[in-house]
Amino acid sequence: MFSSVLTGTTSGLSVTAVAICAAASLVSGLILSLAYRKCENATRSFLLTIALLPLIVQIVILMVNGNLGVGVAVAGSFSLVRFRSLPGKASDILIIFASMCLGLATGMGYAVLAVTAAVIFGLLYGLLSLTPVLDTDSSYRNLRITVPEDLDYIEVFDEIFAKYTKKAEEQAVRTINLGTMYQVTYDIHLKDASKEKEMIDAIRVRNGNLPVIASRAATVAAEL
C-alpha cells in the first residue's frame, strides 16, 4: 500500500508514475492548505504556497535522481532566500515543514503515504486546534512600555503591577528614537483581564503618555 511507484533512475521514470506523484503532491498540498485555512488566519498567497510546495519539493527530489540527501540539501538552500519580509508564526513554520515532508514523500514515489499523511495531519491539526486543553492563558500579556530617557523604569511601575497583575517579569530593555527613549518589555499575568485598559491608563500617567503595547504574542527581545 505504501510502496514507491518510482523505479530506476530519472531516465527510467515513466510518465504515469511521475503524474501520479504530481497529483498526490497537489492533493496533499491542498488538504494541508484547506486544513490550515480552517484553523488559522492566513493570506491567500501563503495558502497557495502551502498547496504548491509539495510539488516543488517533489521536482527537486526527482532532479537529483531520488537521492534524498542531495535533495534535502538543495531544498534547504532555498531557505536562504528571504521570501517573506515579516517573521512568521510558529504555526506557519509547522505547516511549511509538513508541506516539505509531503513533497519528500512524493518525490521518493510514496504517493499514497503522502496523501494519507496529509489527511491524518489535517485532522489532527483541526482537532488539537479545537481542544481547549491547549488554549493559551487569557490573563497573559506581553507588555511593551516606552519611557523617556530621564525616567527610572526600574521601580516606577511596581505599584501598578502589584495592583493589576499576579506576576510581572522584565524581559528586555532597548533604546529607541536615537537613544532618547527606552522600550521595556514585560511578561505579565493579569489579576482581572477586564481591567487591562485601567492598567494601561495608569501606566500612561507614569510614562508621560508615551506608547504602551499589550499583546498576547511571545516576548520579542529585539526587533530588526
Side-chain angles (χ1 to χ4, degrees), residues 167-197:
K167 182 180 180 181
E169 294 182 353
E170 180 184 310
Q171 298 296 329
V173 180
R174 67 168 185 159
T175 58
I176 59 174
N177 198 25
L178 299 177
T180 60
M181 296 180 183
Y182 292 95
Q183 186 179 77
V184 191
T185 302
Y186 299 90
D187 281 342
I188 65 173
H189 287 268
L190 297 170
K191 292 179 179 178
D192 185 352
S194 65
K195 293 186 177 181
E196 180 180 8
K197 179 181 182 301

Side-chain angles (χ1 to χ4, degrees), residues 31 40 44 53 55 74 88 114 118 124 130 139 156 169-170 177 184 197 208 214 216:
I31 292 173
E40 304 286 346
R44 185 172 184 272
L53 187 58
L55 179 60
V74 173
L124 284 176
L130 298 175
S139 68
V156 69
E169 294 182 353
E170 180 184 310
N177 198 25
V184 191
K197 179 181 182 301
R216 297 185 183 183

Side-chain angles (χ1 to χ4, degrees), residues 138-205:
S138 60
S139 68
Y140 167 79
R141 295 292 187 276
N142 173 241
L143 188 65
R144 282 180 285 179
I145 305 174
T146 302
V147 298
E149 185 181 20
D150 57 352
L151 180 65
D152 184 6
Y153 59 83
I154 300 299
E155 299 179 352
V156 69
F157 304 115
D158 288 354
E159 181 183 346
I160 298 174
F161 290 152
K163 180 178 179 180
Y164 294 101
T165 70
K166 294 180 289 186
K167 182 180 180 181
E169 294 182 353
E170 180 184 310
Q171 298 296 329
V173 180
R174 67 168 185 159
T175 58
I176 59 174
N177 198 25
L178 299 177
T180 60
M181 296 180 183
Y182 292 95
Q183 186 179 77
V184 191
T185 302
Y186 299 90
D187 281 342
I188 65 173
H189 287 268
L190 297 170
K191 292 179 179 178
D192 185 352
S194 65
K195 293 186 177 181
E196 180 180 8
K197 179 181 182 301
E198 187 177 324
M199 180 193 69
I200 292 176
D201 288 340
I203 293 174
R204 290 168 57 205
V205 172

Side-chain angles (χ1 to χ4, degrees), residues 57 60-61 64 66-79 97 100-101 104 108:
V57 175
V60 172
I61 298 299
V64 295
N67 189 317
L68 185 58
V70 176
V72 171
V74 173
S77 66
F78 294 160
S79 65
F97 185 74
M100 291 185 65
C101 287
L104 290 174
M108 297 299 294

Side-chain angles (χ1 to χ4, degrees), residues 2 12 18 36 44 52 54 62 73 88-89 91 99 135 185 200 205 222 224:
F2 293 143
V18 174
Y36 195 67
R44 185 172 184 272
L52 295 176
L62 293 178
K89 301 179 295 185
S91 58
S99 186
D135 286 348
T185 302
I200 292 176
V205 172
L224 297 179

